[in-house]
Amino acid sequence: MIFLFDANLSHRLAAALAVELPGAVHVADLGLMSADDATIADWAVGNGAVVVTRDSDFNDMAFTRGKPRKVVWLRLGNSTTEVLLLALRRHAAEIRRFAESEDAVVLTIIGGD
């Protein structure tokens, strides 16, 4: 499974989560750093990736356009990279189960949980 970290997240997260989320990659690693959301969504669909983002646009696109097919939406406010890393590690098993689910489209991780 590929976990595609959006441009609004630090590129350091993908590398730091290599054990918890194998296949984690950042858009910058793929030359998609300045790509628009639709291009990133298309790449995710074509490669079977789960988009990890703080951007509500991917949530909206998943439900209205059907792509990307899987989104982990981080709703953690104005958090540091370290806070995001801790949250993603805390929810890693849930994220992996979500990625394997046939039915689930969006997994929302909300601050304070």
Side-chain angles (χ1 to χ4, degrees):
M1 177 60 57
I2 298 170
F3 296 94
L4 180 59
F5 283 73
D6 192 15
N8 60 17
L9 296 168
S10 171
H11 68 280
R12 293 178 292 161
L13 287 171
L17 291 162
V19 171
E20 295 89 345
L21 299 175
V25 63
H26 193 271
V27 293
D29 300 326
L30 303 171
L32 297 171
M33 188 65 179
S34 57
D36 63 15
D37 290 347
T39 300
I40 292 168
D42 287 342
W43 190 96
V45 169
N47 292 279
V50 174
V51 174
V52 182
T53 186
R54 297 176 82 161
D55 187 349
S56 65
D57 291 347
F58 284 103
N59 174 66
D60 299 342
M61 286 180 7
F63 286 109
T64 61
R65 298 182 191 169
K67 61 181 179 177
R69 293 189 180 120
K70 295 272 187 191
V71 177
V72 175
W73 185 18
L74 303 175
R75 297 189 61 197
L76 301 169
N78 191 15
S79 302
T80 65
T81 297
E82 184 63 28
V83 167
L84 293 171
L85 178 60
L86 293 173
L88 287 163
R89 282 189 170 143
R90 187 172 59 248
H91 291 278
E94 180 182 6
I95 293 168
R96 288 190 308 271
R97 283 191 303 274
F98 162 75
E100 295 169 0
S101 167
E102 293 292 323
D103 301 320
V105 176
V106 174
L107 173 64
T108 304
I109 298 176
I110 300 172
D113 59 348

